Amino acid sequence: MAQQNIYDNDKFFESFKGLRENEINFNDLIETPILLKMMPELKGKRMLDVGCGMGQHAMQYIAKGASFVLGTDISEKMLCYARENNASSNIEYRRLPFEDLDKLEDSFDVVTSSLAFDYAEDLCDVLKKIYALLVPGGKLIFSTSHPVSTAYDGVYDRYTRTEDGIRLYANLHNYNIEGLRRFKWVVDDYEVYHRRFSTLINDIVSAGFIIEECQESHLPEEIISKYPDKFDGIYHQPDFIFFRCSKHI
Ligand SMILES: C[S@@+](CC[C@H](N)C(=O)[O-])C[C@H]1O[C@@H](n2cnc3c(N)ncnc32)[C@H](O)[C@@H]1O
């Protein structure tokens, strides 16, 4: 199965770090508040955060009472940042691609993943491996780029705009053609996998999960009016999609 590790590219890592540490970033303003609202009670829970990146989420889960968090990621640079900046006695960071999650001999009450499955060629296979790691009744809560957001090829603008640049419509490119999408984002050949909405649902269900909740990202009005230039036109499409799933008891 194809694997990429763009976060260990120096230029990409520095740029992503800059974006993630900026006060106005999509993760803290849009993604994290929705994800945290979808979490079950975390007090005393053993957790796995897949594609943990710089460890911000692992720290949030400990603050909410989780007894242990294992953060796994493919990128040494991301894990190094996590170990230096988001360490705690009950967090462990380990280099492990999500394609190899079946190598873990452990079980977890709650598994999470934030914006990492964009890079999974075979999402159903990854989800099956996560299912096997959960205790009966355990939960998986994850976010990924929304299918309308990955229906993009980088050649044309994501939006149809007025002459003044105001976003009028969101554009979709080849929504029905699934697979690898390559476009310029920091580097020339940034890669993500595009899946139709139905494929996403069927991958989750085929892995054995029950879907309990689904959310699509949207910004609270107070954030839009606080940063009007940054988020003009945000109503046209959701950037992220979120699922809370559970393993059968
Ligand atoms: C957009 S970042 C999100 C990081 C973190 N979850 C957060 O919310 O800040 C995506 C993460 O997925 C990781 N990743 C990409 N491919 C992976 C793979 N095959 N196995 C594990 N992690 C992977 C990247 O290294 C990166 O840390």
Side-chain angles (χ1 to χ4, degrees):
M1 213 179 303
Q3 266 178 19
Q4 56 133 306
N5 185 3
I6 190 71
Y7 290 78
D8 273 348
N9 169 307
D10 286 335
K11 184 177 163 204
F12 190 88
F13 173 76
E14 285 307 322
S15 174
F16 182 80
K17 181 156 80 79
L19 289 173
R20 193 71 171 89
E21 288 174 340
N22 193 312
E23 183 208 346
I24 312 170
N25 73 73
F26 271 44
N27 304 73
D28 292 336
L29 289 182
I30 308 179
E31 195 263 352
T32 303
I34 299 173
L35 190 87
L36 291 182
K37 259 195 206 148
M38 295 173 74
M39 290 290 154
E41 172 62 59
L42 296 184
K43 231 170 225 120
K45 295 287 171 21
R46 283 182 58 77
M47 297 184 64
L48 167 66
D49 186 26
V50 176
C52 64
M54 298 169 166
Q56 292 95 337
H57 285 303
M59 288 296 272
Q60 287 157 352
Y61 304 147
I62 292 297
K64 287 186 168 294
S67 59
F68 172 73
V69 182
L70 173 62
T72 56
D73 202 283
I74 198 171
S75 160
E76 281 295 357
K77 281 186 189 291
M78 297 293 263
L79 289 167
C80 184
Y81 181 102
R83 289 186 190 109
E84 277 172 20
N85 298 280
N86 288 309
S88 157
S89 57
N90 37 11
I91 299 179
E92 184 192 330
Y93 294 109
R94 202 182 300 174
R95 185 175 185 279
L96 184 73
F98 44 59
E99 291 84 356
D100 295 342
L101 280 172
D102 52 334
K103 293 191 177 136
L104 282 180
E105 288 174 6
D106 219 334
S107 64
F108 300 92
D109 303 303
V110 179
V111 177
T112 56
S113 183
S114 284
L115 305 180
F117 292 157
D118 295 26
Y119 310 103
E121 184 182 14
D122 186 345
L123 180 61
C124 190
D125 183 66
V126 175
L127 294 175
K128 280 180 184 160
K129 288 171 181 165
I130 291 174
Y131 192 86
L133 290 170
L134 280 166
V135 299
K139 310 277 184 200
L140 165 67
I141 300 93
F142 74 90
S143 63
T144 189
S145 286
H146 197 287
V148 303
S149 155
T150 53
Y152 176 61
D153 75 346
V155 169
Y156 65 96
D157 196 333
R158 278 185 183 275
Y159 296 93
T160 302
R161 298 174 189 261
T162 63
E163 282 181 3
D164 305 332
I166 307 289
R167 295 174 218 192
L168 274 179
Y169 311 108
N171 298 321
L172 295 187
H173 182 80
N174 285 343
Y175 177 86
N176 277 329
I177 300 178
E178 300 189 287
L180 195 61
R181 297 286 175 118
R182 221 175 251 125
F183 51 88
K184 191 176 162 89
W185 187 53
V186 183
V187 290
D188 285 340
D189 45 4
Y190 179 72
E191 293 180 345
V192 293
Y193 288 92
H194 168 65
R195 279 172 269 272
R196 288 194 290 262
F197 182 74
S198 53
T199 302
L200 205 45
I201 300 285
N202 291 329
D203 280 351
I204 297 170
V205 173
S206 302
F209 285 104
I210 301 161
I211 296 174
E212 292 185 342
E213 185 180 350
C214 174
Q215 295 288 341
E216 294 166 293
S217 60
H218 50 89
L219 265 180
E221 282 306 320
E222 64 266 25
I223 302 286
I224 297 174
S225 44
K226 192 168 170 194
Y227 307 106
D229 298 343
K230 178 89 184 158
F231 296 117
D232 150 62
I234 202 86
Y235 304 102
H236 293 306
Q237 67 165 64
D239 290 295
F240 311 127
I241 189 161
F242 303 74
F243 291 95
R244 188 178 67 231
C245 316
S246 66
K247 178 167 175 162
H248 290 264
I249 294 176

